[in-house]
Amino acid sequence: MNASREAKTEEAVKRMKMLGIFSETIRQFQEDGKVSISEPPFGAFFWAEGLDLDRILGFEEKYNALVYVAIRSHTTIGKIDSFLFVSDHPEEWEMDREDIRHRQAIAYCFNYDMPDCSEMGAIGVASTPAAGLRRTW
């Protein structure tokens, strides 16, 4: 079953609220479709633009998904953007919300330094002092 963009947006807003994301970031996503990147070290949000936005839109098109936020991390294996998204499978959404309640999520992780190592997988998430997100594992 294919979910509409409106249904995915509604689901994304629920998840953003569960994650405690800054209310203005949620509003901009809901009203204007703006995807933000939570930047280290404090998790302040910046709109995805240029190549960052192109990567997000490419992921959305390939997987028929809706990215609602990206978490930027600087790791021992390089700079990584983790895209939190709503899939095209509503039957999975309750399980995804349960994961978020446990401070984890399925994300697509784009590796800037080794793009061939980019992959889908589970990550840990935590709130930051700026009502943003950081990846914990």
Side-chain angles (χ1 to χ4, degrees):
M1 175 179 165
N2 292 340
S4 69
R5 186 164 183 89
E6 293 77 21
K8 290 176 192 171
T9 298
E10 185 178 314
E11 177 65 20
V13 168
K14 286 180 190 175
R15 295 178 190 191
M16 293 171 89
K17 288 178 180 177
M18 289 175 68
L19 288 163
I21 291 174
F22 183 54
S23 61
E24 183 63 16
T25 301
I26 296 172
R27 187 194 65 75
Q28 290 171 351
F29 172 80
Q30 188 171 23
E31 294 179 9
D32 303 324
K34 293 187 183 273
V35 178
S36 295
I37 300 172
S38 185
E39 292 268 2
F42 299 110
F45 282 107
F46 299 92
W47 292 332
E49 298 176 318
L51 291 175
D52 291 332
L53 184 57
D54 290 346
R55 276 189 285 279
I56 289 168
L57 295 174
F59 170 82
E60 289 182 337
E61 184 176 330
K62 181 175 181 178
Y63 293 98
N64 200 23
L66 178 66
V67 174
Y68 55 92
V69 71
I71 304 170
R72 182 155 290 156
S73 306
H74 298 279
T75 73
T76 56
I77 60 168
K79 180 174 148 183
I80 296 175
D81 279 355
S82 301
F83 301 161
L84 301 187
F85 65 93
V86 176
S87 75
D88 199 35
H89 306 284
E91 66 275 9
E92 298 174 351
W93 295 356
E94 178 54 43
M95 187 171 42
D96 293 340
R97 286 191 302 272
E98 184 62 25
D99 282 346
I100 288 170
R101 283 191 268 285
H102 289 73
R103 305 308 284 178
Q104 59 190 21
I106 298 296
Y108 176 75
C109 301
F110 176 78
N111 186 316
Y112 284 83
D113 300 303
M114 295 182 288
D116 290 349
C117 294
S118 300
E119 64 183 353
M120 195 85 68
I123 65 167
V125 294
S127 298
T128 68
L133 298 173
R134 66 180 176 86
R135 181 175 169 172
T136 59
W137 49 269

